[in-house]
Amino acid sequence: MSDYNLYRDPESNIGFLRQLDDNTQLAGNYQYFGIFFAIGAFLTFISLFYIPTIPISPGRFSSLSVMGSLCMLFSLVFLKGFHSCATGLLTSERRIYTLAYCGALVMTFMASMVFRNYLASLLGAIAQLCAVAYLGCSYIPGGITTVNALFRGTTTCIKAVSYTHLTLPTIYSV
């Protein structure tokens, strides 16, 4: 604030006014971020109620899920700006997660709306969940390692449960 002379030279205040304008726009962007993120979370939450109806009409689940996911992704544009958000999503370490997430979104939408295949819709939703977990955790230091450990632990538990329940009892003959 000491660099700006507010009273003597109005032309020297341009930097201060731009910074003030950027801060005002940023406050408005937080509101839009919150609104779009809340709408996306609400749509995703409502889509969870349609999971039992996937065999009957997979479009209900996937359309709400995809729209909620896109709203939450679009909320990041308000938070960071379009160029900054696109640059951050397409960096070399996040590019694979971004492409996997976009591919899972397209797969979920195509499987449910075009092909009407409920199994592919469910697999697309699971792939979408995994991809968004990796994409979100790629912004946190050590996040990818944590997600890998969680997925390894989950698969180990699933394998242990499936092997114990799928083994046939042995019959001993005398």
Side-chain angles (χ1 to χ4, degrees):
M1 185 91 156
S2 63
D3 294 339
Y4 300 107
N5 188 352
L6 294 175
Y7 299 108
R8 294 189 187 141
D9 187 16
E11 291 180 10
S12 67
N13 298 332
I14 292 174
F16 174 72
L17 294 175
R18 283 186 186 152
Q19 183 181 5
L20 186 63
D21 187 43
D22 289 344
N23 290 340
T24 306
Q25 287 178 352
L26 188 61
N29 287 348
Y30 280 129
Q31 291 172 346
Y32 289 123
F33 165 75
I35 289 169
F36 273 92
F37 192 83
I39 290 171
F42 178 72
L43 289 173
T44 304
F45 177 71
I46 294 297
S47 74
L48 296 177
F49 291 112
Y50 286 104
I51 287 178
T53 66
I54 287 177
I56 299 166
S57 65
R60 289 182 182 174
F61 166 74
S62 71
S63 61
L64 286 172
S65 175
V66 168
M67 292 203 19
S69 190
L70 286 176
C71 278
M72 286 191 280
L73 183 66
F74 190 63
S75 70
L76 293 176
V77 172
F78 283 110
L79 188 64
K80 298 176 76 176
F82 179 78
H83 182 68
S84 176
C85 186
T87 304
L89 289 173
L90 295 175
T91 59
S92 60
E93 61 268 0
R94 288 188 192 103
R95 186 176 300 135
I96 188 72
Y97 306 124
T98 304
L99 292 175
Y101 178 63
C102 292
L105 280 174
V106 170
M107 178 183 151
T108 304
F109 187 74
M110 293 294 289
S112 65
M113 300 302 273
V114 177
F115 301 120
R116 304 247 184 236
N117 188 340
Y118 70 93
L119 186 60
S121 298
L122 191 60
L123 290 176
I126 291 170
Q128 182 181 337
L129 179 69
C130 293
V132 81
Y134 273 103
L135 183 62
C137 288
S138 70
Y139 284 94
I140 302 168
I144 297 297
T145 307
T146 304
V147 172
N148 283 336
L150 286 172
F151 281 135
R152 261 184 275 144
T154 304
T155 55
T156 303
C157 289
I158 290 172
K159 286 178 184 178
V161 167
S162 65
Y163 287 143
T164 58
H165 291 292
L166 294 178
T167 56
L168 297 174
T170 55
I171 301 174
Y172 296 104
S173 59
V174 182

